[in-house]
Amino acid sequence: MSAEGGFGEMLDRYANSGAARFHMPGHKGVGAGFFADIFKSDITELSFSDNLASPEDTVADIQRRWAETLDAENTHLLVNGSTTGILAMILALGTNKRVLLGRDCHMSAINALALAHDTAVPVFPDANGVLSAEKIDRALTAEPCDAVFITYPNYYGVCLDIEEVSETARKHGALLLVDNAHGAHFAFSPRFPKTPSRYADAWVTSVHKTLPSLTQTAVLCRGFGSRIDDGALKRCVNMVQSSSPSYILMRSLEYALECAKGLDFEAHIERVERVRERISALHGYSIGERSEVKDASRLTIDTRGRGICGFDAARFLESKNVYVEMADRDKIVCITSPLDKDEWYDRLINALGDAPQREPMPQIVYEPFGERTTPLDIGEAMFAESEDVCVESAVGRRVSRAFGIYPPGVALLMPSEAVREADVREVQRQMRLGAKFFGMSSNMLSCIKE
């Protein structure tokens, strides 16, 4: 069975038609080497090729099939990543709204609030790294909001109780918007955590992160009974998405949908469980237990018991030609897929076993957010006149850009928040370990000019 439908067939027909191409793109279907076949299918909006900004034919069919698979009322194909969907969801609320923002959010949510001139009401993960419905309830009681924005799952594959959070948001009359970027595969096995379907008013999922699709491909979903205006959502998608969408990327969204239906996720979950057991048997590694609130396909490996930080572990693995998704001070994270080769897992385990062994690292307690709960006018801070300030001299200064470690792109400081001495110490510690930062350049933070 072909992993593509009408859209791929349409592109193939044109690619093989020998047509005289007096239209974009400029390569005219002619390429060499790697691009020889790709360029043939890379076209623009023609009389037969449908239009992503106003789909009626083959593009609309892909969107319909994704909606059926993800149990959504309707979907929008995204070719600029989940960032596009996050921007569109928040902009569709209108301007000058109040949004209860999970502080484990991606930086794109912060940027969206700035563009909409919304007020962010921060709410912080519990000690286990996830938000609770109880905490959201208390926050909404103290600070009523128009919407709640959550990340589900987080970068480590851990999920909050989305059903309870949904009930809490509705009790307070707030919409629920979900960054489900790392959960595209949840729809393909009941052994994965629940999908946002039936709980969220709108959610976005990055197909390329965990399914066989090209980078930048994602899907924005509107839930059944959603209280978010559908017309506003469509307008905002077109506002922030490219007006020259890639037909190659759209084709990969069709391919991923049909291909994923044929993948054996059940067998893959069992394979990952066996790998988890093998890693746990190695000295100094902790990998945690599989549970219904964790993505069973994600490997999050704590390296502190081995006496090495996550950054050092990742660098050692790379010396063995094994590359992980991300590392932080304490852990490495592996994104897995049914398409992984079995021998990759053997190489991962062998490399972990060869990694240096030292005295276990002490647990370092740091509260990066400090439970800062003051509502923030992010847009005012981001568009204010700013100046670069050396990190060591920035204590007490308010930052004008979100700042944090990438990946995962979660802000240690949000625009308008003041730098504390504890923040500087943590930044210096992370720098020594090898962390990479966003929102900072050459040890300089962008701060609101005084």
Side-chain angles (χ1 to χ4, degrees):
M1 174 183 171
S2 171
E4 295 179 275
F7 188 82
E9 293 170 358
M10 174 268 293
L11 291 179
D12 284 341
R13 282 195 299 271
Y14 189 67
N16 298 320
S17 68
R21 299 187 179 208
F22 294 104
H23 58 74
M24 297 186 294
H27 57 64
K28 303 294 184 166
V30 179
F34 173 78
F35 296 103
D37 291 327
I38 294 176
F39 280 3
K40 292 179 182 179
S41 296
D42 186 30
I43 63 172
T44 187
E45 290 87 353
L46 302 173
S47 61
F48 60 85
S49 62
D50 210 357
N51 187 331
L52 181 58
S54 183
E56 297 178 346
D57 190 10
T58 51
V59 174
D61 181 61
I62 301 174
Q63 294 189 155
R64 177 190 57 77
R65 285 185 276 155
W66 268 113
E68 290 177 352
T69 300
L70 300 178
D71 195 24
E73 183 170 317
N74 52 52
T75 65
H76 301 274
L77 303 186
L78 304 176
V79 295
N80 300 111
S82 280
T83 292
T84 306
I86 289 171
L87 292 172
M89 285 192 294
I90 290 176
L91 290 173
L93 298 174
T95 58
N96 300 306
K97 301 297 183 181
R98 293 172 66 84
V99 178
L100 191 71
L101 184 67
R103 275 298 303 263
D104 57 346
C105 70
H106 188 263
M107 55 185 167
S108 57
I110 298 170
N111 294 334
L113 293 177
L115 292 173
H117 296 283
D118 290 340
T119 297
V121 178
V123 61
F124 307 89
D126 293 328
N128 62 359
V130 296
L131 287 168
S132 66
E134 180 182 0
K135 206 164 197 178
I136 291 173
D137 187 32
R138 290 200 304 268
L140 288 173
T141 299
E143 297 279 355
C145 292
D146 299 286
V148 175
F149 184 93
I150 61 171
T151 303
Y152 174 91
N154 65 19
Y155 226 110
Y156 304 101
V158 182
C159 299
L160 49 68
D161 190 325
I162 194 169
E163 184 172 1
E164 286 189 0
V165 170
S166 176
E167 292 173 357
T168 300
R170 288 182 177 275
K171 181 179 78 172
H172 289 272
L175 277 69
L176 181 61
L177 309 179
V178 179
D179 176 359
N180 182 236
H182 284 263
H185 55 301
F186 286 5
F188 294 91
S189 171
R191 296 174 66 182
F192 289 132
K194 300 172 183 175
T195 71
S197 172
R198 309 289 169 166
Y199 304 114
D201 289 281
W203 71 97
V204 64
T205 189
S206 286
V207 178
H208 74 92
K209 283 183 168 59
T210 57
L211 296 178
S213 190
L214 290 173
T215 298
Q216 289 186 209
T217 53
V219 176
L220 174 61
C221 304
R222 183 172 180 270
F224 287 100
S226 174
R227 295 160 293 164
I228 196 167
D229 183 75
D230 191 37
L233 198 60
K234 291 177 180 176
R235 290 194 300 273
C236 290
V237 169
N238 288 337
M239 184 189 307
V240 297
Q241 180 144 256
S242 171
S243 60
S244 298
S246 166
Y247 278 73
I248 301 296
L249 294 181
M250 285 188 276
R251 181 172 190 163
S252 77
L253 279 167
E254 179 182 54
Y255 173 85
L257 176 60
E258 298 309 317
C259 181
K261 292 177 181 177
L263 295 178
D264 191 343
F265 282 95
E266 306 303 316
H268 177 61
I269 290 171
E270 293 300 324
R271 174 173 64 168
V272 171
E273 183 61 23
R274 292 192 295 272
V275 170
R276 186 176 282 108
E277 292 171 355
R278 292 173 66 188
I279 294 174
S280 296
L282 296 174
H283 173 72
Y285 296 111
S286 173
I287 202 164
E289 299 297 326
R290 190 179 74 188
S291 75
E292 62 182 12
V293 295
K294 291 183 180 179
D295 176 1
S297 71
R298 187 148 302 196
L299 291 172
T300 299
I301 306 167
D302 192 317
T303 63
R304 287 174 296 178
R306 188 82 174 188
I308 55 176
C309 72
F311 298 116
D312 285 342
R315 284 189 286 267
F316 181 82
L317 290 176
E318 289 186 8
S319 74
K320 302 292 186 179
N321 206 25
V322 175
Y323 289 79
V324 299
E325 169 63 20
M326 66 159 281
D328 64 17
R329 187 184 61 195
D330 304 328
K331 296 177 284 294
I332 55 175
V333 176
C334 301
I335 293 178
T336 75
S337 160
L339 296 171
D340 294 346
K341 298 178 180 179
D342 286 334
E343 61 105 0
W344 290 358
Y345 293 99
D346 292 332
R347 289 166 57 189
L348 170 65
I349 292 165
N350 290 337
L352 288 171
D354 291 340
Q357 297 186 49
R358 308 185 184 115
E359 288 296 315
M361 293 175 60
Q363 184 172 359
I364 301 173
V365 179
Y366 169 66
E367 297 177 0
F369 309 127
E371 292 291 319
R372 310 176 196 201
T373 57
T374 303
L376 303 171
D377 188 333
I378 290 174
E380 180 182 39
M382 290 188 73
F383 296 122
E385 189 175 358
S386 64
E387 60 183 354
D388 289 340
V389 179
C390 178
V391 169
E392 290 78 7
S393 303
V395 175
R397 297 293 299 271
R398 292 191 302 142
V399 297
S400 62
R401 294 173 58 191
F403 160 73
I405 299 171
Y406 190 86
V410 173
L412 296 176
L413 291 172
M414 289 175 61
S416 188
E417 289 184 327
V419 181
R420 306 167 306 168
E421 290 184 2
D423 300 321
V424 173
R425 288 194 298 271
E426 180 65 9
V427 168
Q428 293 171 333
R429 182 185 296 117
Q430 295 277 7
M431 283 181 170
R432 289 193 298 269
L433 294 174
K436 305 297 183 183
F437 293 88
F438 69 90
M440 183 176 74
S441 178
S442 301
N443 203 38
M444 306 289 279
L445 285 177
S446 179
C447 297
I448 298 172
K449 196 167 185 177
E450 296 180 341

